[in-house]
Amino acid sequence: MDNWIVKRRLTIGISQTEFVERLTKQGLAINRATASQWERGRNNPPIDNPDVAKVIANALEWSVLDLLIAVGYDIQIEIDSKEWGTQSIQAAEIIEKLPNKHVQQTAVNMLHHIADELRAFLG
């Protein structure tokens, strides 16, 4: 089974070389060998870095939220729900269980980025 990068590349009709070129143009200088390792699952792209996640998402013509869902994060958003407060508490509890402060801060940064995208989308 193809991984999420391969599936998305094929969906939008770009080659691995074009994917690498798109990443490089946005400041993420990788080579085809690295992209190949990501696609074969030998290494994972560093999407825990919000800047890298944004570059990869842009290269694949996705939002960061779309990328996180494709990677396998279970993201459920209910904007006008009374459960929003409960969900915030659950998110905080999950973040507190992450292995270290760097990973925790990365998760918080990604949530802020998602919230900014939602605010922009909703006007």
Side-chain angles (χ1 to χ4, degrees):
M1 176 187 247
D2 293 333
N3 85 347
W4 58 272
I5 297 173
V6 175
K7 287 179 186 176
R8 183 61 182 169
R9 275 197 313 95
L10 296 175
T11 297
I12 62 174
I14 64 171
S15 67
Q16 188 181 75
T17 299
E18 188 173 351
F19 174 60
V20 170
E21 289 170 357
R22 288 180 178 198
L23 296 174
T24 301
K25 285 179 185 175
Q26 295 182 66
L28 183 62
I30 69 162
N31 56 35
R32 284 192 60 224
T34 299
S36 178
Q37 289 176 354
W38 292 354
E39 292 181 355
R40 292 183 314 196
R42 297 192 73 187
N43 288 314
N44 294 315
I47 60 167
D48 60 330
N49 178 322
D51 295 328
V52 173
K54 186 173 182 178
V55 168
I56 293 172
N58 288 339
L60 294 172
E61 300 175 12
W62 266 340
S63 69
V64 172
L65 182 59
D66 292 330
L67 178 129
L68 294 175
I69 291 169
V71 171
Y73 286 89
D74 183 20
I75 298 174
Q76 299 175 5
I77 299 173
E78 296 180 36
I79 299 299
D80 293 322
S81 172
K82 292 180 181 178
E83 295 181 26
W84 185 256
T86 303
Q87 291 173 347
S88 297
I89 292 168
Q90 290 173 337
E93 289 172 350
I94 291 167
I95 289 170
E96 287 177 354
K97 292 178 184 176
L98 294 173
N100 61 53
K101 294 292 182 193
H102 173 72
V103 174
Q104 291 171 352
Q105 186 58 52
T106 299
V108 169
N109 292 345
M110 293 176 91
L111 287 172
H112 282 294
H113 180 75
I114 291 168
D116 291 342
E117 282 194 14
L118 285 172
R119 280 192 279 288
F121 176 76
L122 296 174

